[in-house]
Amino acid sequence: MATKQHETAPDVESEIEKLKAQLEEKEKMLATQKAEAPQEATQQVEQKEELEKREQAEKAVAEIKTAPAKEQKTVSPSMTDADLVKDLQSVMTMDKPQQVKTLIYLAFKKGVRYSFSIAKQLKDPYLLDEFHDTLVDELYQQLLKKRKI
């Protein structure tokens, strides 16, 4: 009987070693999955934000297209609706600081009313305030540069 116990002990020990190896392998797999999970979650959040931006742009474009003709023509007689829609869509895909810079550029290039109409369509009070503050500062600097004040 002693021999039977002695023979089974190495079998049990080898089986324990195999199980330990399997456990280590599964722990490594779990660690890898946990490391990949935040990256996947971040990608999903970014995709969701991008989709929301596109939907918001589409809504704003639809509002511009359905707005009364009088309101559209007061924006800028030299600009077409297509220009306004195109600029609005491109501004909507940017982050806030870039949006403000682009709106300032558009104000100097295509007119303050044109730029303001785009800013108003974004329906973001913070952005409107930043646009106003930056535009006032830029205009002030331009007037100083041209020695108008």
Side-chain angles (χ1 to χ4, degrees):
M1 273 224 175
T3 27
K4 220 175 193 188
Q5 284 182 342
H6 189 65
E7 286 179 17
T8 58
D11 290 339
V12 171
E13 287 178 8
S14 66
E15 190 174 334
I16 289 173
E17 290 301 318
K18 286 180 185 177
L19 290 172
K20 284 181 181 178
Q22 288 177 348
L23 179 61
E24 285 179 20
E25 191 175 312
K26 294 208 182 231
E27 285 176 341
K28 287 179 185 177
M29 288 174 49
L30 181 62
T32 304
Q33 288 175 349
K34 284 183 180 179
E36 291 173 357
Q39 292 173 347
E40 291 175 9
T42 302
Q43 289 174 347
Q44 288 175 350
V45 168
E46 289 173 354
Q47 289 173 349
K48 184 178 178 182
E49 288 174 353
E50 183 64 29
L51 182 62
E52 288 173 356
K53 282 183 181 179
R54 285 184 192 160
E55 288 173 354
Q56 186 181 8
E58 290 171 4
K59 284 181 185 178
V61 168
E63 286 179 17
I64 288 173
K65 287 181 179 178
T66 59
K70 291 179 188 175
E71 188 177 319
Q72 289 179 358
K73 290 185 179 174
T74 59
V75 172
S76 177
S78 63
M79 297 294 132
T80 64
D81 290 344
D83 291 336
L84 189 66
V85 169
K86 181 179 152 197
D87 288 337
L88 177 63
Q89 286 176 328
S90 68
V91 168
M92 289 181 110
T93 61
M94 300 173 186
D95 60 345
K96 294 226 188 283
Q98 188 62 38
Q99 284 178 333
V100 173
K101 288 179 185 176
T102 303
L103 289 170
I104 297 299
Y105 170 79
L106 289 172
F108 282 105
K109 179 110 174 143
K110 297 181 180 181
V112 174
R113 284 187 176 156
Y114 180 86
S115 185
F116 176 72
S117 68
I118 291 173
K120 193 167 73 171
Q121 288 295 322
L122 296 172
K123 296 180 181 167
D124 184 349
Y126 168 79
L127 183 72
L128 269 174
D129 187 50
E130 279 298 308
F131 171 59
H132 173 262
D133 292 347
T134 307
L135 183 61
V136 168
D137 291 342
E138 288 290 322
L139 286 173
Y140 180 75
Q141 292 302 319
Q142 290 289 329
L143 290 172
L144 284 177
K145 186 176 177 182
K146 292 180 181 181
R147 298 180 184 246
K148 298 287 182 177
I149 55 172

